[in-house]
Amino acid sequence: MKTYKKHIERNDLRDATHLEVSVYYNKGGPNFSYGGTTPRGYYLAVRPVTRGNNTVSYALFSGKSRFLFGTKRYTAKQFERAMEMAKGYEDELTAAVVAENKAA
């Protein structure tokens, strides 16, 4: 399965140097973090990360994600569709994550 990731350098975040934007497929199923079920399909996620020499670190449960659309399985054609859909939501999610993690 293919995953798309890019890092955007920011200097206005608290405890982070970059924003990581990713588009990925999730097989779904039980989610023990909040006691529900995660839908199977494609997601867009944005989270604050700190990049070092060869490392990327982040705080658990930080950032935001958005369910793009549901599918029964992964296909390359659907992944391309998810990439196009993600372009419309990326700015919105990025602004929300920056607002939550703004340096004082």
Side-chain angles (χ1 to χ4, degrees):
M1 281 183 271
K2 202 173 184 182
T3 299
Y4 169 79
K5 283 187 183 181
K6 75 175 180 180
H7 291 94
I8 303 168
E9 188 171 356
R10 301 288 299 233
N11 59 3
D12 59 346
L13 299 175
R14 178 185 63 239
D15 301 327
T17 59
H18 293 75
L19 288 178
E20 181 180 83
V21 179
S22 58
V23 178
Y24 61 94
Y25 175 76
N26 187 332
K27 290 183 181 180
N31 187 320
F32 301 107
S33 297
Y34 66 88
T37 303
T38 302
R40 179 180 292 224
Y42 293 87
Y43 289 81
L44 166 67
V46 178
R47 67 180 174 186
V49 299
T50 300
R51 292 187 69 184
N53 292 337
N54 291 322
T55 62
V56 176
S57 62
Y58 59 92
L60 290 176
F61 309 111
S62 63
K64 300 211 174 272
S65 66
R66 179 178 179 89
F67 180 68
L68 297 173
F69 63 91
T71 60
K72 295 197 183 278
R73 62 184 179 155
Y74 172 89
T75 66
K77 186 175 181 180
Q78 290 174 336
F79 184 77
E80 293 304 319
R81 178 179 163 215
M83 291 292 294
E84 287 300 315
M85 286 182 71
K87 290 177 186 176
Y89 299 113
E90 184 177 334
D91 292 339
E92 175 186 334
L93 246 60
T94 300
V97 171
V98 168
E100 282 185 357
N101 295 284
K102 211 54 159 160

